[in-house]
Amino acid sequence: MADAAQSFTDREAAIAHVKATNPLFEVGEAEIRGLTYRVFKNAPPSLRDLFGFAALHGDKDFIVYADERYSFMETVANGNRFAHALIDDLGVKPGDKVGIAMRNYPEWCFAYIGAISMGAVVVPLNAWWGTEEFDYALGDCDANVIVCDARRMEALKPLKEKHGLTLILARETGEGADHRFERLIEGKSVDAPTNPIDPDADFCISYTSGSTGHPKGVVLTHRSALSTIMSWALLAESMKFIDGDMFGDTPGVLMGIPLFHVTASHSHFMLSMVAGRKIVMMYKWDVEEAIELLDKEQLSNFVGVPTQSLELANHIGDRRLPHLIDIGSGGAKRPPEHVERIAKAFPGAHPSSGYGLTETNALGAVIGRAEYRERPDSTGKIVPPLTDIKIVNEGKEMPAGEKGEIWIRSPANFREYLNKPEATADAFAEDGWFRTGDMGRFDEEGYLYVEGRYKDIIIRGGENISALEVENAIYSDENIAEVAVISVPDDVLGEIVGAIVVPKPGCAVDPASVRETALKHLAKFKAPEVVWIAPEQLPRVGTGKIDKLTTRQVALANEPHWKAG
């Protein structure tokens, strides 16, 4: 806790104090792609410099997985070894794409550090994808060096010749790999490469589902990610002068969400490099194991999708986690009724939440502690000092209390959607404002409320699912004339996938078979879990398109013909 002489009663005053006294957070201006933005004047030039800063934490535990422990120095050293292997043995050059397709393992982090540090563009591939989804993404991004685990390798092997893949198998056993990760890095230099990296060079392509069918490759730059990490770091430093350290006396966070999402790669992994915070990895989410690890490792933070924090509250019972001080959520909006339940289950910890998108490197708004319990349906105030958010309706900025689309302007915003110039142009308004596709409003005190989406996507437990992509998969059944995929409210996951199908004249469709049809083309989490069979053509809007709003209302008012489980 800061000395009382340096304490502040509000966040804005504390932030102003830190900015004035710590040169790292001094704000200036820079031109980025022809537009002027507020930036951190003294930010590290690239993420490689951030990784070098992490190494200064030395022998402190950084990554814990099962019985394995890696210090900050060891983690960065293994990343640098992989960087040199990419250069020396695989001929990878700056700007080339390097994919990672695996569950959460320490090697995921080593590969991420290594690819970025030598100037390559890392492509975190969704570990739940199947061969068809990998095929699309690899064809889109041209990544041909892939670090994978055994299960993902089996899905990738049919694509090896088509995409000229070099498969690097991490940790597990299996046939078909070109290299073993541990052998590839053996004997390599632990020093970081020294080639120049421009602050506005690309560092990552992260795939996110939207309303246009196939996932879109969101191109992120070094400066954009650093803008997010440093904005969060400034907020954390400022909190010390209000009501205590956000990371506690035993900084540590439980990682129960996949690293291929920016929530984990940014707010868990890279922010922890700045904070000197230990990361405890879980191979697979299990609430009892999570409670055990939070206790055993004396962890101060938990950040997961809303369903995970609710599970913790429902299972904690009389057990106490005295070191846990913050229970955060990301990836989806936490239902307001969860907030008080979590606060009561963990009297020594505070629920918190944030709003951001892959396109913003997860930066946007944040809320926690007393203000969150007072406004459990809010996603908080804008994270300073680089980000602006406004509400726009029909081209006009709306006043407090009025709804519209949420627009964000920040140097943390993405550069483009890969190979999609029209989608990129549609995503940005004048002067660099990103149209999020989310509906929201501000209240009179500046708190943001997210109240829906303009985009036709479903968020199932934090995973974005394109309704169009699921519809396209279901249409592969030639007995189906029409399909509308909708979100169905769910107490555990927030939303699940529902489908309303119309059989062709003279054909019959078994409602349970609709899910099986989708599973032939899509990962399991995208397939419908609720199905209705409609007897006639679905309602239309004036343009002739299916009226999704009316179709959804009618479906939810009636019992489904089939439901999973």
Side-chain angles (χ1 to χ4, degrees), residues 245 405 500:
D245 197 325
E405 185 178 17
I500 303 99

Side-chain angles (χ1 to χ4, degrees), residues 417-476:
Y417 290 122
L418 185 66
N419 300 323
K420 291 180 169 56
E422 291 184 2
T424 302
D426 288 344
F428 286 101
E430 70 282 355
D431 203 23
W433 285 93
F434 166 54
R435 301 181 175 106
T436 67
D438 292 324
M439 186 190 307
R441 63 178 173 85
F442 280 110
D443 68 13
E444 296 290 345
E445 297 178 282
Y447 288 91
L448 179 65
Y449 296 76
V450 180
E451 299 192 341
R453 293 185 300 280
Y454 291 101
K455 298 176 180 178
D456 194 9
I457 59 173
I458 299 157
I459 301 181
R460 181 189 184 276
E463 286 291 330
N464 281 13
I465 300 167
S466 163
L468 179 59
E469 184 182 18
V470 182
E471 287 167 357
N472 289 341
I474 294 170
Y475 272 125
S476 65

Side-chain angles (χ1 to χ4, degrees), residues 118-140:
M118 57 79 53
V121 180
V122 69
V123 185
L125 297 164
N126 191 315
W128 294 335
W129 280 351
T131 298
E132 286 190 28
E133 291 145 312
F134 282 129
D135 185 25
Y136 171 78
L138 294 176
D140 185 51

Side-chain angles (χ1 to χ4, degrees), residues 348-369:
H350 302 280
S352 63
S353 185
Y355 170 70
L357 302 92
T358 303
E359 288 90 340
T360 68
N361 278 274
L363 186 62
V366 68
I367 191 167
R369 308 207 174 191

Side-chain angles (χ1 to χ4, degrees), residues 387-398:
T387 300
D388 297 309
I389 300 178
K390 65 182 179 180
I391 307 299
V392 179
N393 189 13
E394 296 184 351
K396 297 180 181 179
E397 183 172 358
M398 305 306 291

Side-chain angles (χ1 to χ4, degrees), residues 116-175:
I116 294 167
S117 292
M118 57 79 53
V121 180
V122 69
V123 185
L125 297 164
N126 191 315
W128 294 335
W129 280 351
T131 298
E132 286 190 28
E133 291 145 312
F134 282 129
D135 185 25
Y136 171 78
L138 294 176
D140 185 51
C141 72
D142 294 325
N144 52 32
V145 173
I146 313 292
V147 184
C148 55
D149 57 19
R151 183 171 177 180
R152 263 44 64 172
M153 185 175 70
E154 290 304 311
L156 289 164
K157 282 196 299 188
L159 307 173
K160 201 166 186 290
E161 183 175 348
K162 178 180 180 180
H163 295 292
L165 302 182
T166 297
L167 300 179
I168 303 168
L169 180 61
R171 166 177 305 265
E172 299 173 336
T173 58
E175 299 295 326

Side-chain angles (χ1 to χ4, degrees), residues 78 81 99 193 244 250 265 274 311 325 448 452 458 495 529 558:
N78 282 334
R81 290 187 179 104
T250 59
S265 62
V274 177
E311 281 192 67
I325 62 173
L448 179 65
I458 299 157
E495 296 176 343
E529 296 171 75
N558 290 275

